[in-house]
């Protein structure tokens, strides 16, 4: 009897966890672990089987002789810093306005969220048209020089073009999270603050924001990690150009491997990319844990 | 009602109107890209290049029928649907079962596995994609439907297991125990009793995964590759843009029809989507 029970336990473990474990192992775990090996090899796209061990050469090359990688690194840092601030400020202000009793509140929430359901690839193509043809027409109609710039034609404006589209895409998502948190703020607390003579912005700063801190953390983390990993938009809006001036890190990894066919070098970069993303994630977990202890 | 009070009220409501007007203005700005796409999708290329802002002088609906055939839209739509539906169903099935077992039998192995799932969520796709191509080629999972579904299963599991895990922890065990006493098998307990209770979080899992898989680009490019029999909407549009550069009349019609399915879905299921995203991001 006990033996049969044990068999039953094994069978259950296999049935319930087995399929997931198998898929996870094949698709994520094994490729990820292989990455550590391939990072130290020379491996070109044509000869998938013949990866040649070359030790630290790839890392050496990345750290001493790869300006493009480090330029894309700084590009990504700047892009992340700016979009995180802009997207969250915009999302927070939208959430504040749309949690007040406005008549068109529901329709407005829908509209601000809308860009988010469309993928980065299609959004990038849509905005490629706006920046090249739409802006030109607006510029001709209004005479505003901002619209007559070659938006996707210079590194500076290309950068801001990506920022605009990313913020446009992300703000609605964060707005939804902020609204959900604001709904949870007890009315009597904000009303008490108003009775005590606090103005609107004072109430927001001293009552609302401290009470929605968990949502703020979630949104900051989501935008940071999404911006840092931006790829689709980069591919369809600027293709990293002009030249390679607007390449994000993810795009640089992709281009190294699948455009230049240097798989080994690409994998080494990919592993560095992974370490950078993990640092962001660990920082976030650490910050959240610390907050929870305080609270 | 005394006068000063009424004044305060009036001041407040006029401020509200101001906020509303501002928000509506911003909403129009948010929508303007869609206006540009729609208006220009029914113009001739010549007219677009002269004036991209005004309404068309002559409506050219054949832009749509042309691009419908060029990108073979019905086929792409079907493949996007097929791949998304099967993958999401698989993710729901496999991750709910795994999460259930991990919660109810927290053995050392299962705890370690759960930790692996959480840790793996930080791995960016670019960090595994090349090796993934290698592994899937070896296992003959490239260029076929099974392969892409298994890939989505592998990448979608972690977040979904974490979401189910968090929910199942709150499901009381007494009901299950009663069912076991009544002679229900462990599988029956899960399917007939536990799974129906997971409905709210199942909706969240379905929504988050659907939005991701429907819009995903790089994974299908690598796994489906050149197998045209499995082209999804993002792949079809990208291929079109590679071949017809600067043909904005057709391109915009193609974009308009490509974004329509997901927008319609969003408008229909809006309430669930917004709720799903909120609970998904707070718990995840």
């Amino acid at each position: 009897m006990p033996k049969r029970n044990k068999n039953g336990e094994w069978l259950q473990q296999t049935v319930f966890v087995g399929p997931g474990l198998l898929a996870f192992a094949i698709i994520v775990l094994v490729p990820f672990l292989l990455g550590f090996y391939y990072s130290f090899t020379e491996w070109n796209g044509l000869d998938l089987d013949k990866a040649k061990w070359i030790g630290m050469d790839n890392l050496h090359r990345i750290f001493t002789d790869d300006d493009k990688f480090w330029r894309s690194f700084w590009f990504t840092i700047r892009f992340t810093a700016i979009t995180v601030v802009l997207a969250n400020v915009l999302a927070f202000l939208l959430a504040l306005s749309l949690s007040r009793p406005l008549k068109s509140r529901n329709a407005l929430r829908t509209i601000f969220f809308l860009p988010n359901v469309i993928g980065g690839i299609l959004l990038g193509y849509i905005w490629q048209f706006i920046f090249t043809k739409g802006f030109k027409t607006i510029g001709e109609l209004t005479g505003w020089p901002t619209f007559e710039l070659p938006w996707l034609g210079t590194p500076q404006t290309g950068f801001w073009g990506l920022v605009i589209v990313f913020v446009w895409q992300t703000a609605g998502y964060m707005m939804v999270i902020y609204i959900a948190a604001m709904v949870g703020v007890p009315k009597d607390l904000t009303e008490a603050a108003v009775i005590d003579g606090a103005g609107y912005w004072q109430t927001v700063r001293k009552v609302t924001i401290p009470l929605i801190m968990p949502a703020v953390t979630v949104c900051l983390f989501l935008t940071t990690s999404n911006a840092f990993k931006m790829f689709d938009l980069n591919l369809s809006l600027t293709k990293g150009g002009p030249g390679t001036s607007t390449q994000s890190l993810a795009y640089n990894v992709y281009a190294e491997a699948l455009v230049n066919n240097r798989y080994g070098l690409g994998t080494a970069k990919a592993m560095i990319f992974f370490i950078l993303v993990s640092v962001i994630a660990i920082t976030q977990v650490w910050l959240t844990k610390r907050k929870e202890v305080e609270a | 009602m005394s006068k000063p009070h009424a004044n305060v009220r009036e001041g407040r409501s006029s401020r509200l109107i101001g906020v509303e007007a501002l928000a509506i203005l911003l909403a129009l700005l948010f929508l303007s890209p869609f206006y540009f796409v729609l208006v220009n999708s029914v113009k001739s290329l010549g007219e677009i290049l002269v004036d991209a802002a005004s309404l068309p002088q002559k409506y050219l609906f054949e832009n749509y029928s042309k691009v419908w055939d060029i990108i073979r839209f019905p086929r792409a739509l079907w493949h996007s649907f097929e791949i998304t539906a099967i993958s999401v169903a698989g993710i729901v099935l496999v991750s709910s079962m795994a999460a259930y077992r991990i919660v109810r039998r927290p053995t050392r192995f299962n705890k370690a596995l759960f930790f692996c799932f959480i840790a793996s969520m930080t791995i960016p796709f670019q960090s595994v994609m090349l090796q993934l191509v290698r592994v899937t080629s070896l296992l003959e999972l490239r260029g076929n439907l099974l392969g892409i579904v298994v890939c989505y299963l592998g990448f979608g599991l972690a977040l979904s297991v974490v979401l189910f895990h968090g929910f199942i922890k709150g499901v009381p065990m007494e009901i299950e125990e009663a069912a076991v006493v009544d002679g229900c098998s462990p599988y029956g307990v899960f399917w007939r009793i536990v799974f129906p209770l997971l409905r709210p979080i199942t909706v969240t899992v379905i929504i988050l995964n659907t939005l991701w898989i429907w819009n995903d680009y790089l994974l299908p490019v690598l796994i489906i590759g050149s197998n045209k029999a499995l082209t999804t909407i993002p792949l079809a549009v990208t291929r079109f843009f590679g071949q017809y550069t600067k043909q904005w009349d057709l391109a915009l019609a193609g974009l308009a029809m490509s974004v329509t399915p997901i927008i319609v879905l969003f408008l229909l299921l809006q309430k669930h989507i917004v709720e799903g995203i909120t609970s998904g991001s707070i718990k995840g």
Side-chain angles (χ1 to χ4, degrees), chain B residues 1-283:
Chain B
M1 204 173 271
S2 65
K3 252 195 168 164
H5 197 89
N7 270 343
V8 168
R9 273 243 160 128
E10 233 161 62
R12 243 180 86 192
S13 70
S14 74
R15 202 179 311 148
L16 263 191
I17 291 171
V19 169
E20 182 142 28
L22 212 66
I24 290 174
L25 221 67
L26 196 62
L28 291 178
L29 198 66
F30 254 67
L31 285 179
S32 60
F34 297 111
Y35 166 80
F36 276 100
V37 170
L38 283 179
V39 159
N40 291 299
S41 68
V42 286
K43 285 183 190 170
S44 69
L45 186 58
E47 210 191 323
I48 294 175
L49 297 180
V50 172
D51 180 358
S54 56
L55 292 170
Q57 287 168 336
K58 198 171 149 244
Y59 286 83
L60 283 178
F61 289 106
E62 59 262 39
N63 285 348
Y64 279 85
S65 54
K66 270 190 213 155
V67 81
W68 180 276
D69 294 331
I70 295 173
I71 64 174
R72 301 185 64 179
F73 187 71
R75 196 184 63 167
L77 181 64
W78 165 247
H79 291 137
S80 276
F81 173 76
E82 188 184 30
I83 290 173
T84 308
I86 299 176
S87 305
V88 171
I91 290 174
V92 168
L93 187 79
V94 170
S95 59
S96 64
M97 283 171 54
Y100 173 69
R101 179 77 188 175
I102 291 171
V103 173
R104 291 292 184 246
R105 291 281 188 288
T107 58
R108 209 177 291 165
F109 179 82
N110 282 344
K111 277 188 195 157
L113 182 65
F114 187 60
F115 177 78
C116 279
F117 281 138
I118 293 179
S120 78
M121 289 201 290
T122 62
I123 303 174
F125 179 69
Q126 278 82 4
S127 299
V128 291
M129 63 177 180
L130 302 170
Q131 307 89 292
L132 178 71
V133 169
R134 179 93 184 84
V135 171
T136 48
S137 305
L138 272 177
L139 298 173
E140 292 183 6
L141 288 172
R142 263 187 96 202
N144 53 54
L145 184 64
L146 176 70
I148 187 101
V149 168
V150 171
C151 285
Y152 280 124
L153 205 56
F155 286 115
L157 263 174
L159 176 65
S160 307
V161 167
V162 170
L163 289 172
F164 275 120
H165 185 276
F167 194 89
I168 294 172
K169 270 196 298 189
V171 175
M173 260 173 88
E174 285 79 6
I175 320 168
E176 293 168 42
E177 280 158 4
V180 172
V181 172
D182 290 347
C184 200
S185 79
Y187 312 102
V189 170
F190 178 73
W191 278 114
R192 272 181 250 140
I193 295 161
V194 179
F195 191 72
L197 292 174
L198 304 181
R199 228 193 97 145
I201 199 70
T202 305
V203 172
T204 299
V205 168
I206 291 176
I207 283 162
L208 291 176
N209 285 302
T210 302
L211 285 178
W212 158 53
I213 296 173
W214 184 271
N215 290 319
D216 197 27
Y217 170 73
L218 194 50
L219 177 65
V221 165
L222 295 173
I223 299 301
I224 295 171
S226 52
N227 183 355
K228 291 200 171 140
L230 280 172
T231 302
T232 61
I233 290 178
L235 299 197
V237 172
T238 311
R239 195 172 296 145
F240 174 86
F241 266 82
Q243 286 164 350
Y244 295 76
T245 37
K246 312 297 169 206
Q247 288 242 33
W248 283 113
D249 47 344
L250 298 180
L252 292 170
L255 283 172
M257 68 174 76
S258 299
V259 299
T260 304
I262 194 78
I263 287 183
V264 169
L265 191 77
F266 166 62
L267 294 177
L268 289 177
L269 301 176
Q270 217 191 123
K271 210 185 110 222
H272 295 288
I273 291 180
V274 167
E275 273 168 16
I277 279 168
T278 321
S279 61
S281 60
I282 303 276
K283 285 178 196 120

Side-chain angles (χ1 to χ4, degrees), chain A residues 11-291:
Chain A
L11 186 65
Q12 276 180 54
Q13 173 79 10
T14 313
V15 170
F16 278 103
V17 180
L21 182 58
L22 188 67
F24 181 71
I26 297 174
I27 302 303
V28 181
L29 207 58
V30 170
F32 178 67
L33 296 175
L34 279 177
F36 289 101
Y37 169 70
Y38 283 123
S39 297
F40 299 102
T41 62
E42 188 175 6
W43 175 34
N44 66 52
L46 301 170
D47 255 334
L48 278 165
D49 300 304
K50 286 170 191 152
K52 203 175 90 211
W53 182 266
I54 52 167
M56 302 295 283
D57 282 13
N58 285 331
L59 287 177
H60 185 75
R61 180 166 171 181
I62 293 168
F63 280 99
T64 57
D65 185 27
D66 199 336
D67 287 349
K68 279 184 193 164
F69 180 73
W70 295 106
R71 246 180 283 143
S72 74
F73 175 72
W74 286 118
F75 173 88
T76 309
I77 297 274
R78 271 192 308 147
F79 178 80
T80 307
I82 290 170
T83 51
V84 166
V85 173
L86 291 182
N88 280 288
V89 168
L90 180 60
F92 182 79
L93 291 176
L94 286 176
L96 263 188
S97 324
L98 298 190
S99 48
R100 303 177 80 173
L102 304 184
K103 283 201 191 74
S104 50
R105 181 162 85 170
N106 289 335
L108 289 173
R109 284 183 186 179
T110 307
I111 292 171
F112 289 123
F113 188 81
L114 189 62
N116 211 279
V117 298
I118 305 168
I121 288 284
L122 297 179
L123 288 182
Y125 287 131
I126 290 174
W127 277 88
Q128 206 183 324
F129 178 75
I130 311 287
F131 282 128
T132 53
K133 299 288 173 285
F135 271 28
K136 203 176 126 239
T137 304
I138 298 172
E140 280 161 8
L141 291 175
T142 60
W144 290 346
T146 323
F147 288 106
E148 295 186 281
L149 296 170
W151 270 84
L152 302 178
T154 74
Q156 273 298 315
T157 49
F159 174 81
W160 285 104
L162 284 165
V163 169
I164 290 171
V165 183
F166 188 87
V167 170
W168 177 72
Q169 180 189 13
T170 313
Y173 195 101
M174 303 306 144
M175 172 195 78
V176 162
I177 300 176
Y178 283 127
I179 288 179
M182 285 173 188
V183 169
V185 173
K187 267 248 161 64
D188 41 334
L189 284 182
T190 45
E191 274 163 11
V194 172
I195 288 167
D196 287 347
Y200 177 71
W201 288 108
Q202 220 173 349
T203 315
V204 168
R205 238 188 34 230
K206 299 275 157 114
V207 182
T208 311
I209 293 183
L211 284 172
I212 63 163
M213 269 327 266
V216 175
T217 318
V218 167
C219 286
L220 286 179
F221 173 65
L222 279 177
T223 32
T224 307
S225 111
N226 287 344
F228 200 81
K229 293 193 280 193
M230 177 201 42
F231 176 80
D232 287 6
L233 192 60
N234 206 184
L235 183 75
S236 59
L237 187 63
T238 67
K239 272 218 156 70
T244 54
S245 57
T246 60
Q247 265 191 3
S248 68
L249 263 178
Y251 193 93
N252 183 272
V253 170
Y254 161 87
E256 189 66 74
L258 297 163
V259 179
N260 299 341
N261 277 332
R262 287 190 285 250
Y263 281 50
L265 189 58
T267 314
K269 288 182 174 186
M271 293 327 256
I272 296 176
F273 183 47
F274 157 71
I275 291 168
L276 294 170
V277 173
S278 312
V279 169
I280 296 175
I282 291 168
T283 314
Q284 192 259 346
V285 171
W286 179 69
L287 285 176
T288 319
K289 281 268 146 62
R290 211 183 52 167
K291 285 251 169 54

